[in-house]
Amino acid sequence: MTELPKAYEPTVVEEKWQNRWLSEGCFNADPQSDKPAYSIVIPPPNVTGVLHMGHVLNNTIQDILVRRARQEGKEVLWLPGTDHAGIATQARVEKELAKENPPRTRYDVGRTDFMKMVWEWKDKHGGIIINQLKRLGCSCDWERERFTMDDVYAPEVARVFTELFKEGLIYRGRRMVNWDPVLRTALSDEEVIMTPSKSKLYTIRYKLADGSGQLLVSTTRPETIMADVAVAVNPKDPRFGHLVGKTVIRPLVETEIPIIADEHVEIEFGTGALKITPAHDRTDFEVGTKHNLEIIDVLTADGHINCPDCPELHGLDRFVARDKSIELIEAKGLLEKVEDYENNVGMSERSHVPIEPRLSMQWFLKYPCVKEAAEAVANGDIVFRPAHWAKTYAHWLEGIQDWCISRQLWWGHRIPVWYRKDKADELQEAAKLDEADAAAGDIYVGVEPPADPENWVQDEDALDTWFSSWLWPFATMDAECRAKFYPTCDLVTGPDIIFFWVARMIMAGYRFADGKPFSNVFFTSIVRDLQGRKMSKSLGNSPDPLDLIAHYGADGLRFGLMRIAPTGTDVKFDEKQIEEGKNFANKLYNAARFRMMQGEADSVAPVFTSVHIDILSKLKELHVTVADALSKYEFNTYTQALYSFFWNEYCSLFLEAVKNDLREGDPAVKNATLHTIDTVLRHYLALLSPIMPHITEELWQSLGFAARNEGKPLMSTPLPSAEHLLAGLSDTHISKARALSTALYDTANRARNLKAEYNLATNKKVRFVVKPSLPVDDDLMSRLALLAGAQSATAEPDYEAPKGTPTALTPFGELFLPLDGLVDVEAERSRISKELEKITKEIAKSNAKLSNASFVDRAPAAVVDQERARLVEWETKKAQLEAMLTALA
RNA sequence: GCACGAGUAGCUCAGUGGUAGAGCGGCUGUCUUACACACAGUUGGUCAGGAGUUCGAAUCUCUUCUCGUGUACCA
């Protein structure tokens, strides 16, 4: 037998198996298979992305699910791919351009060439993350990898757009949108993060035009004052009623503007008067529309002041202009006061600058199938886990607003709309465009460009990236694949994209794919650092999963993370936990190595002793626990059960108890032990394999299990059936064996305690004597000696211990540790007295409970009986301990 | 403001009505021929505070506090 290294080295092993699985096509899905289908689509990571801990958690869970499904005999599709990530990807390439000498912008390059550059960048650098997922061991069907802009996917996006347009759900309109002045594009509401910010509240004097006084108006945005078209007060406000209808002088670019009455103004807030700036505030826009007010836009697309009438501010950055405008107002003596103020400012999720409410021409979608989507989750057709996310989801759907789907970007799906060349300018200015304009032949909407392209101009904008992602569960599949694998079974994703992605996919599924896109959604934890902060690049608190894989192995990383993360609440990431994963892999490896040192088992049918039956019975239970936990998506239970079975039950108890069988003694016992070990390992590796696929695969081969199955890899082998474990043994036989084994392990614990209490080293070869209270055989006694690290353990019914011999009460009876010359009666007396004290307390507690009539009458009989049994047990022990004390006297 | 989640051992987390748990850490021993990435022993908790329901509460109800997340916002 070749000498194996003492420590497990994952790197080579993991790569080996990843390659082999791929080359054997183990991950590939067969749509023509008649096995039941199981499918998942991956949440497509950004093509610019690199693997982070969130991906690791997410994809490990998916991999567990699909690998287990394969073992259960399902035809599995795990469909991978990447997202074109409009803004992120375009920004990457623009950054490269900016680094050139001289620096260039995309406008210098031009749309066609720029697109070519992004595609080149994507082909060269994109999809790093795909390889990283492979390093993690993800068993996706890589041959079906999709990209949200590839040439089968793109037509689907255009088709969906066209259909929704024809249905009247997509329209173009001039509306207030969230404008990102850095990226110079519109954003959806979901891409704006409201952030509490420290700012100033300026109170400014607006003089009445008739010279009869002034009106105080508070604002946080004095730089837009030139765009004021009115001042509004609440019609019910007694202070200002008489002023409505009069005019005030706008402090900058002085003009008379009316004082109007509108319910929207809060009487209590600030001065009770509100400046109305329809071009730069959402609610002001509404008020303006209602009162038919002019709209004056004084900001450029990139957030600079555009107001030639105010030369001091014209051309300034919006924040510079804010200070400057206050200087101007103060110089005019119109500044009443400045206060510190905290308000919520909408920040761009992408560029992290305050967004501008901006009036612009954009495409909008009135969501389809909102009702179906809401009902599906409400009535359990789609199950959310943890369940509480259903509430968040329902709440969002209730207040749902039209989705701004156009982006002023180049990288993405270009809007499939063309304008008649001769009418293009006119159409650009229209207040709203919809199906009527298409019917009139002024615009063309379609998957293919118009037949006479020279007469048409295509819309300049691209679609929001999510407008392609929301089709992911079906647009990634061809007809054959869809027939077999749609709807998918599970979706595993972070709760942070419940609106961006999950909700929209459900709607798209109902509208475009004849029903729900998935049956279950598992929302993962969000991985945070030890201070509880979200992991982010800028904080530098996110460990690189590839480093972790290098240190601990992919299996170690997967296992370690799953041990702490999976219940659905956020998790604080601690690298220590990953180390545990590695240690566990090492433990497993060594346990297998130990088996390999023992040689072959005979083909003779084994005769099991109690410890064999005990571990096999626990193995059988493990099957149930694992199946149950996975069916309920309780990954924590799954992982813990696997861990504790192997480390505690199998290694620490069972293996330690049977080691001697392998070295010496009865060949029949040795044979039974080898059979048991092989059975446990064979089943266990299979149960563990979904979470630690590489090491289990490696050991499956090394232990020769693959050879018995035509060399097939573990991952393609059906799960061994638990039914045949201990077949033919009666339940009584099994439970008796388990009781004896438990007694053995408990007794061994007491024996080790005794040694420790007398400061005897673990490896000190002592002698134990048991005065048995139940029939114990030599087999048990020799296992006891082994477990307790003793020279011998003997059962002697008539043993008379010398006074002061250390002793303990065990399930086997009184246990003695005869120590020649080390006898201290007082020490023994005090030890036993202490134990007696404890037990007396327990008895008192138990007695109190049982003499409580309410308890006896109202508690379930089983609970009362249990308590009675407990009391009897304590009292027996007490009597024994008292006898021991007497013997010492 | 509203909604949801969390608060259990020094740390990270299990535990949805019946004797408070695991791993790590700490402390003591041990290189006992599978494993020092290990073994053995041991130390850690008024289950955030208060009230209630119950024979019995970490668990159910109410309430207070702290933290997190989402969502709505008034300049």
Side-chain angles (χ1 to χ4, degrees), chain A residues 27-30 36-45 55 57-70 72 74-82 133 138-146 385 471-477 481-482 484-494 501-502 505 516-524 558 630 633 635 690:
Chain A
F27 301 163
N28 296 352
D30 175 12
Y38 179 86
S39 54
I40 297 189
V41 290
I42 205 170
H55 294 126
L57 175 59
N58 190 310
N59 288 290
T60 298
I61 291 174
Q62 292 176 71
D63 203 33
I64 291 170
L65 291 171
V66 300
R67 284 174 182 274
R68 173 77 183 191
R70 287 191 194 98
E72 289 172 345
K74 308 231 174 83
E75 185 61 35
V76 168
L77 169 64
W78 184 11
L79 201 155
T82 49
L133 288 171
C138 294
S139 60
C140 302
D141 184 349
W142 299 110
E143 288 173 16
R144 290 178 189 271
E145 185 185 332
R146 291 261 75 90
R385 287 167 227 268
L471 313 177
W472 188 251
F474 58 88
T476 46
M477 297 185 189
C481 193
R482 238 184 256 190
K484 178 76 181 170
F485 293 112
Y486 189 92
T488 65
C489 304
D490 296 327
L491 177 78
V492 180
T493 190
W501 197 47
V502 179
M505 277 193 290
K516 62 180 179 182
F518 30 70
S519 302
N520 299 288
V521 183
F522 185 83
F523 290 104
T524 62
R558 294 164 62 118
L630 285 179
Y633 301 82
F635 300 101

Side-chain angles (χ1 to χ4, degrees), chain A residues 179-182 221 223-224 299-300 302-305 315-325 346 351 353-357:
Chain A
W179 184 263
D180 184 322
V182 169
R221 303 210 54 194
E223 72 277 14
T224 62
L299 282 173
T300 62
D302 62 351
H304 286 69
I305 302 293
L316 291 182
D317 172 81
R318 54 188 169 148
F319 299 112
V320 177
R322 182 170 300 172
D323 295 339
K324 183 73 185 168
S325 65
S351 62
V353 299
I355 60 106
E356 281 295 337

